[in-house]
Amino acid sequence: MKKVYASKIDTWLALVIVSIVIACFIVFISVASSGSIVAILVSAPALIFGAGLPLWLMKSTVYTLTDETLFVKSGPFKWQVPVNQINSVTPTSNPLSSPALSLDRLRIEYGRWGSIMISPKDKEAFIQDLEARSGKALRNTEGSQ
């Protein structure tokens, strides 16, 4: 049975995203009011990308566990991690780019060299579910940066 876990969203990040979206709309409205068709045609893709992508990421970042696979989705980006290849789960606050909307993250190491950082809203339930599906203890409480 599959279980979907929403990403935790840090308030500061939500504020940054909303500010970016508002700024994109203000710029587009300003350009559109100039009446220049060329300016509007040039700024429309910037609006779609500049406002659309951050909103898409914020609304669609989820982690789905099935018995065999952890599916990670964040906007247009997707990852699949076989549950039986997951070696450890470590709490981290590493700020590197990842499909996580919070710095309250879990680093999942899998396979020989793979890793991904995610930020499920309910980390404890996620880890318990993952351990139950993998049949092994995965917690690494040392914490990584």
Side-chain angles (χ1 to χ4, degrees):
M1 184 164 95
K2 76 177 184 177
K3 171 78 176 168
V4 178
Y5 293 88
S7 178
K8 181 177 182 179
I9 303 174
D10 284 346
T11 303
W12 68 268
L13 182 59
L15 290 172
V16 167
I17 290 172
V18 169
S19 298
I20 289 170
V21 170
I22 289 170
C24 286
F25 276 106
I26 289 171
V27 168
F28 181 75
I29 289 168
S30 170
V31 168
S33 67
S34 75
S36 168
I37 299 299
V38 173
I40 293 170
L41 291 175
V42 169
S43 64
L47 171 66
I48 292 168
F49 182 75
L53 182 61
L55 287 174
W56 189 9
L57 293 172
M58 196 163 87
K59 289 292 190 186
S60 71
T61 301
V62 293
Y63 318 111
T64 304
L65 271 175
T66 68
D67 290 337
E68 296 84 28
T69 308
L70 165 60
F71 294 97
V72 177
K73 184 175 184 305
S74 184
F77 309 106
K78 297 176 184 174
W79 294 262
Q80 292 183 33
V81 178
V83 168
N84 64 357
Q85 289 186 17
I86 296 175
N87 303 315
S88 68
V89 178
T90 308
T92 185
S93 57
N94 187 323
L96 289 177
S97 180
S98 66
L101 301 175
S102 171
L103 290 178
D104 184 15
R105 300 173 171 189
L106 296 174
R107 178 183 172 95
I108 297 176
E109 304 216 10
Y110 60 94
R112 191 165 183 172
W113 309 108
S115 70
I116 190 167
M117 289 183 288
I118 63 172
S119 59
K121 195 179 287 188
D122 187 347
K123 290 189 332 183
E124 187 58 34
F126 176 85
I127 294 170
Q128 287 177 358
D129 192 3
L130 184 59
E131 287 179 330
R133 291 171 194 261
S134 72
K136 56 186 174 183
L138 299 169
R139 294 170 202 257
N140 180 354
T141 56
E142 294 174 17
S144 68
Q145 299 294 322

